[in-house]
């Protein structure tokens, strides 16, 4: 028995030494009581050197560490503990299992787990890296308005970003692993993309396209690019792509092209329109040079005035257009009324209406609704509409101007029996540079900017304008709706200035010699005593002795400009009662303000008709 038992003991020790794990027994005083061969190898010293010694005498690093704590824990609780610990002296990790032993101590199995720990750490790091990359891409892809997707060679979705899912109103589950038709693509669209995927797989080359399409979440014009995703063997294993909504871009592009085309047309028309009055003026001048018959001369001058008026009108429109588009038109609102405004507009338009032999019918409300607005600009609106009605109606037509009150608004409409406007063109008439095509023979002229300006002016007055027509040759109606203001102190229509012409001493200051010369000749012809000078300093030199009652002075001049000259003239006691009038190309409120500050009494915008100059002379003289 005893032999048998000894054999067994011997066998046991041999068996334990064969174990591929380290095994030590430790008693309740934390002394090693046994170590197998593998443990000896781990310890790096013969076992008789450490068996019998306290663990941290052998390995000082263990004192107070987690290993000692774990051993003590198993001894006291009698529970098995498992743990993996780094062990700095061996530069490794040990995986340990501590079992309670019968003598109150413990049996500890351990093995070097450095490789496994490292592998696990590597896997965890890789996983984290993958997750973080995925989070990154997911966030980027889910938040782009572009559609991003990947298809397998089998045409099935392998990925679709949120924007695409939203467009088709499907969840990721309903999309991934499914084909186009299941996601909701129409048949033609599915077929097209399937063919394209096959092409990318076959050629290994990217492919681009543009397509109009509509899903549940909306649609438009889309630009897309499909690219091959190559597998490790160099074969295309999937096709990835992005699609961008270019509807807005497309629209903006189209609009730009349209504007550009219309601008070109406009420039051609402008050149043509400016040339038109020039030819008769040129021949008028020749005629004046050779003609002595007073009657013919007067008719020629009248004709030239008309043509010049036409040019001034064109240039005024152009200036207005540029101000309107830059939003710098300034309104000078004052209390007025519908009738006053219509009266003013008719002053301008009646000659044209009469020239075409149209019948004009007026229907105005008796109570004359009050308006608050820039009278000149409002009159411009209606004279423009009336002129158009006259122009775009065959001679002998009918034009009706009707104003009607509707609660707090007044609707003023101009209806003609003219050439009308096709239904599909109605929307365009207020666009800049729009001239509706009437075939090549239309000689009505026009730059296609009037209605654009009209619309902006109406809107600036808090109103709106609409157009209606039953179609070609069925006439047109333009209706302007304006808010009525409860202005109490109405200003009546402007009274023409009256007075008896008398002779004045007038000084003209303008660096444009021709302009100064013509004005001085005209005023001399009217019996005034006139002196023309061509610069600010010259004016100062002469003013003291000439003592003009009126000075008409240009603002922009080299050397001493109009503002500075005016300030100095104002300082001369001899000119205390002189009226100084600015003649300038700049008519905005800030220009008027500057002129006032410099000491000008009046501010006239060029070109100034003689009648206005005369009115200024009379107004001041009376
Ligand atoms: P235009 O100087 O060419 O008259 P507008 O801006 O005033 O420019 O008008 C734009 C276009 O609208 C015109 O060229 C014309 O084709 C059309 N139009 C304007 N008024 C009328 C109208 N009363 N009847 C028919 N067509 C009109």
């Amino acid at each position: 028995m005893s032999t048998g038992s000894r054999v067994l003991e011997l066998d046991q020790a041999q068996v334990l030494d064969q174990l591929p794990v380290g095994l030590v027994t430790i008693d309740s005083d934390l002394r090693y009581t046994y170590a197998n061969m593998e443990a000896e190898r781990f310890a790096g010293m013969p076992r008789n050197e450490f068996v019998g010694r306290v663990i941290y005498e052998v390995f000082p690093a263990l004192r107070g560490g987690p290993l000692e704590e774990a051993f003590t824990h198993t001894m006291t609780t009698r529970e098995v503990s498992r743990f993996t610990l780094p062990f700095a002296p061996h530069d490794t990790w040990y995986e340990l299992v501590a079992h309670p032993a019968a003598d109150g101590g413990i049996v500890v199995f351990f093995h070097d787990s450095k490789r496994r720990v490292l592998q696990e750490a590597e896997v965890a790091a890789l996983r984290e890296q993958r997750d973080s990359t995925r989070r990154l891409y997911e966030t980027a892809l889910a938040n782009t308005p572009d559609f991003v997707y990947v298809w397998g060679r089998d045409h099935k979705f392998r990925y679709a970003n949120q924007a695409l899912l939203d467009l088709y109103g499907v969840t990721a589950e309903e999309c991934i692993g499914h084909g186009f038709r299941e996601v909701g693509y129409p048949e033609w669209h599915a077929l097209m993309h399937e063919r394209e995927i096959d092409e990318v797989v076959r050629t290994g080359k990217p492919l681009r396209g543009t397509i109009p399409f509509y899903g549940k979440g909306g649609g438009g014009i889309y630009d897309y690019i499909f690219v091959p995703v190559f597998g490790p063997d160099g074969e295309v294993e999937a096709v990835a792509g992005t699609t961008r909504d270019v509807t807005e871009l497309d629209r903006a592009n189209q609009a730009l092209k349209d504007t550009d085309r219309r601008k070109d047309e406009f420039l051609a028309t402008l050149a043509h329109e400016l040339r038109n009055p020039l030819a008769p003026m040129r021949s008028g001048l020749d005629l004046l040079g050779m003609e002595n018959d007073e009657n013919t001369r007067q008719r020629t001058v009248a004709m030239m005035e008309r043509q010049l008026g036409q040019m001034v009108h064109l240039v005024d429109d152009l200036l207005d257009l540029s101000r309107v588009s830059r939003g710098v038109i300034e309104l000078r609102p004052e209390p007025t009324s519908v009738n006053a405004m219509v009266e003013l507009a008719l002053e301008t338009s009646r000659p044209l209406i009469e020239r075409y032999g149209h019948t004009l019918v007026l229907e105005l409300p008796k109570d004359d609704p009050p308006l608050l607005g820039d009278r000149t600009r409002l009159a411009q609106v209606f004279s423009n509409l009336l002129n158009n009605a006259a122009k775009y109606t065959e001679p002998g037509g009918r034009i009706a101007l009707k104003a009607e009150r509707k609660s707090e608004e007044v609707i003023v409409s101009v209806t003609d029996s003219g050439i009308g406007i096709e239904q599909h063109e109605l929307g365009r008439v207020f666009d800049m540079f729009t001239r509706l095509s009437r075939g090549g023979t239309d000689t009505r002229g026009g730059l296609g900017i009037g209605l654009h300006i009209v619309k902006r002016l109406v809107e600036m007055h808090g109103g709106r304008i609409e157009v209606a027509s039953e179609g070609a040759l069925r006439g047109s109606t333009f209706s302007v709706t304006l808010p009525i203001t409860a202005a109490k102190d109405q200003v009546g229509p402007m009274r023409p200035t009256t007075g008896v012409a008398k002779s004045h001493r007038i000084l003209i200051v303008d660096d444009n010699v021709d302009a100064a010369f013509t004005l001085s000749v005209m005023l001399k012809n009217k019996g005034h005593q006139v002196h023309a000078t061509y610069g600010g300093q010259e004016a100062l030199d002469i003013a003291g002795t000439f003592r003009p009652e009126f000075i008409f002075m240009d603002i922009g001049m080299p050397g001493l400009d109009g503002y500075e000259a005016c300030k100095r003239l104002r300082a001369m006691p001899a000119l205390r009662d002189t009226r100084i009038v600015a003649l300038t190309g700049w008519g905005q409120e800030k220009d008027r303000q500057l002129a006032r500050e410099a000491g000008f009494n009046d501010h006239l915008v060029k070109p100034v008709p003689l009648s206005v100059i005369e009115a200024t002379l009379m107004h001041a003289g009376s």
Side-chain angles (χ1 to χ4, degrees):
M1 282 287 282
S2 68
T3 311
S5 130
R6 211 171 45 241
V7 169
L8 191 68
E9 272 175 22
L10 208 98
D11 282 349
Q12 257 181 350
Q14 271 175 353
V15 168
L16 292 178
D17 275 344
Q18 295 305 313
L19 282 181
V21 294
L23 185 149
V24 290
T25 53
I26 296 169
D27 68 12
S28 53
D29 295 331
L30 292 176
R31 272 174 212 284
Y32 291 108
T33 50
Y34 170 78
N36 74 347
M37 186 72 89
E38 185 70 0
E40 184 179 278
R41 212 171 53 74
F42 276 126
M45 59 181 100
R47 40 192 137 168
N48 54 16
E49 281 184 26
F50 65 90
V51 171
R53 292 169 66 197
V54 174
I55 57 170
Y56 39 75
E57 279 172 16
V58 184
F59 300 110
L62 294 185
R63 187 188 288 275
L67 200 65
E68 186 192 334
E69 199 181 305
F71 290 166
T72 320
H73 176 80
T74 301
M75 284 178 204
T76 44
T77 62
R78 317 298 298 157
E79 281 170 7
V80 178
S81 328
R82 289 171 193 276
F83 40 94
T84 304
L85 283 176
F87 187 61
H90 291 171
D91 182 27
T92 189
W93 279 266
Y94 287 116
E95 196 171 346
L96 299 102
V97 184
H99 284 271
D103 63 354
I106 50 173
V107 182
V108 181
F109 299 96
F110 61 95
H111 67 99
D112 187 337
S113 64
K114 182 175 183 176
R115 181 181 292 166
R116 195 178 58 80
V117 168
L118 283 181
Q119 268 171 355
E120 275 177 10
E122 209 168 307
V123 168
L126 282 173
R127 191 172 292 144
E128 170 49 27
Q129 196 181 354
R130 191 197 58 199
D131 288 352
S132 121
T133 311
R134 172 180 290 172
R135 275 197 304 275
L136 204 92
Y137 289 133
E138 280 292 334
T139 312
L141 296 180
N143 288 297
T144 165
D146 295 348
F147 307 132
V148 186
Y149 38 81
V150 181
W151 297 299
R153 297 167 62 114
D154 57 359
H155 306 154
K156 299 218 172 357
F157 276 97
R158 298 222 330 226
Y159 172 79
N161 76 338
Q162 198 55 43
L164 185 61
L165 297 176
D166 290 347
L167 180 72
Y168 282 99
V170 290
T171 60
E173 291 72 43
E174 288 165 334
C175 178
I176 309 306
H178 298 281
F180 291 103
R181 293 163 192 79
E182 295 158 277
V183 171
Y185 283 65
E187 183 60 25
W188 65 269
H189 199 174
L191 274 176
M192 193 180 96
H193 283 342
E194 285 169 357
R195 262 201 306 272
E196 288 168 334
I197 293 171
D198 292 344
E199 189 183 326
V200 175
V201 168
R202 188 166 43 78
T203 61
K205 295 218 167 71
L207 174 151
R208 291 192 84 120
T210 302
I211 190 181
F213 77 84
Y214 294 88
K216 282 184 195 146
I221 311 280
Y222 294 87
D223 239 7
Y224 59 88
I225 179 158
F226 296 168
V227 293
V229 180
F230 293 103
D233 54 359
E235 288 280 294
V236 178
E237 63 171 17
V239 173
T242 54
T243 298
R244 172 160 292 182
D245 182 347
V246 291
T247 320
E248 273 314 308
L249 201 70
D250 200 64
R251 208 171 283 152
N253 249 334
Q254 202 49 46
L256 262 180
K257 276 193 202 142
D258 282 355
T259 312
D260 200 46
R261 185 181 43 73
R262 280 190 280 136
K263 198 165 76 192
D264 283 348
E265 285 171 12
F266 166 76
L267 284 175
T269 318
L270 176 62
H272 182 77
E273 290 296 311
L274 286 174
R275 245 199 125 77
N276 274 348
L278 280 180
M281 279 164 71
R282 168 79 259 167
S283 30
L285 271 178
D286 292 343
L287 208 75
L288 285 180
M290 61 173 101
E291 185 61 58
N292 288 326
D293 176 45
E294 190 49 33
N295 199 15
T296 315
R297 285 176 69 94
Q298 272 182 15
R299 276 185 50 202
T300 309
V301 167
M303 175 277 287
M304 287 176 73
E305 258 177 12
R306 235 187 4 259
Q307 298 296 343
L308 182 67
Q310 173 70 12
M311 276 188 81
V312 169
H313 187 78
L314 282 177
V315 174
D316 278 351
D317 269 2
L318 281 176
L319 285 176
D320 271 357
L321 177 71
S322 109
R323 290 189 202 120
V324 154
S325 17
R326 283 179 299 133
V328 295
I329 274 208
E330 284 179 38
L331 292 184
R332 303 215 277 158
E334 53 185 331
T336 177
S337 74
V338 172
N339 291 4
M341 198 182 58
V342 169
E343 199 175 316
L344 212 58
L346 279 172
E347 262 178 42
T348 314
S349 300
R350 214 185 279 271
L352 193 69
I353 297 174
E354 284 171 3
R355 198 175 329 145
Y356 278 94
H358 298 314
T359 313
L360 176 68
V361 184
L362 290 180
E363 206 180 306
L364 297 173
K366 289 199 186 57
D367 63 347
D368 194 9
L371 296 174
L372 185 69
D374 187 316
R375 251 199 270 187
T376 322
R377 292 308 195 171
L378 285 175
Q380 181 186 348
V381 164
F382 291 102
S383 68
N384 222 311
L385 295 180
L386 286 165
N387 286 354
N388 276 354
K391 270 195 326 192
Y392 298 109
T393 300
E394 296 305 328
R398 182 178 186 276
I399 297 174
L401 189 151
K402 182 175 169 190
E404 87 186 289
R405 189 181 186 135
K406 280 229 168 101
S407 67
E408 290 312 298
E409 291 179 329
V410 61
I411 303 167
V412 187
S413 56
V414 177
T415 304
D416 60 55
S417 60
I419 61 174
I421 300 167
E422 298 275 12
Q423 207 64 31
H424 68 277
E425 307 216 273
L426 284 174
R428 294 205 302 131
V429 291
F430 298 110
D431 290 349
M432 214 189 283
F433 310 141
T434 295
R435 299 166 75 233
L436 307 181
S437 63
R438 314 282 188 205
T441 56
D442 198 339
T443 52
R444 274 168 255 255
L447 294 174
I449 55 181
L451 285 179
H452 180 71
I453 297 172
V454 160
K455 180 161 190 273
R456 295 297 296 265
L457 288 176
V458 169
E459 286 167 354
M460 284 173 77
H461 280 89
R464 57 187 184 277
I465 181 164
E466 278 146 35
V467 58
S469 173
E470 306 253 300
L473 304 177
R474 311 277 299 264
S476 321
T477 298
F478 286 84
S479 313
V480 175
T481 307
L482 290 168
I484 292 176
T485 51
K488 287 190 194 69
D489 41 355
Q490 285 300 300
V491 176
M494 274 206 291
R495 267 181 297 117
T497 4
T498 52
V500 183
K502 71 177 201 196
S503 174
H504 294 291
R505 266 191 322 283
I506 303 170
L507 179 66
I508 293 167
V509 195
D510 196 332
D511 63 320
N512 182 332
V513 177
D514 289 343
F517 172 75
T518 40
L519 184 58
S520 76
V521 171
M522 282 193 295
L523 290 172
K524 272 182 192 156
N525 284 346
K526 292 282 170 188
H528 300 289
Q529 213 185 322
V530 189
H531 196 106
T533 58
Y534 309 114
Q537 189 54 52
E538 204 187 330
L540 285 171
D541 295 344
I542 194 118
T545 43
F546 182 57
R547 299 170 74 98
E549 295 157 75
F550 289 92
I551 301 178
F552 289 98
M553 181 153 63
D554 188 24
I555 299 273
M557 291 184 292
L560 213 55
D561 72 4
Y563 295 133
E564 191 52 41
C566 184
K567 277 184 203 151
R568 300 201 194 169
L569 288 166
R570 276 274 163 253
M572 297 168 71
L575 305 185
R576 214 179 31 232
D577 298 326
T578 305
R579 283 189 80 78
I580 312 186
V581 182
L583 286 187
T584 140
W586 308 108
Q588 288 186 35
E589 187 46 41
K590 72 169 189 324
D591 303 313
R592 293 176 191 276
Q593 179 68 29
L594 281 175
R596 266 196 300 275
E597 283 166 15
F600 283 102
N601 298 94
D602 264 318
H603 183 276
L604 300 177
V605 180
K606 286 178 180 177
V608 190
L610 185 60
S611 56
V612 174
I613 303 252
E614 285 186 296
T616 311
L617 295 173
M618 273 180 205
H619 167 75
S622 56

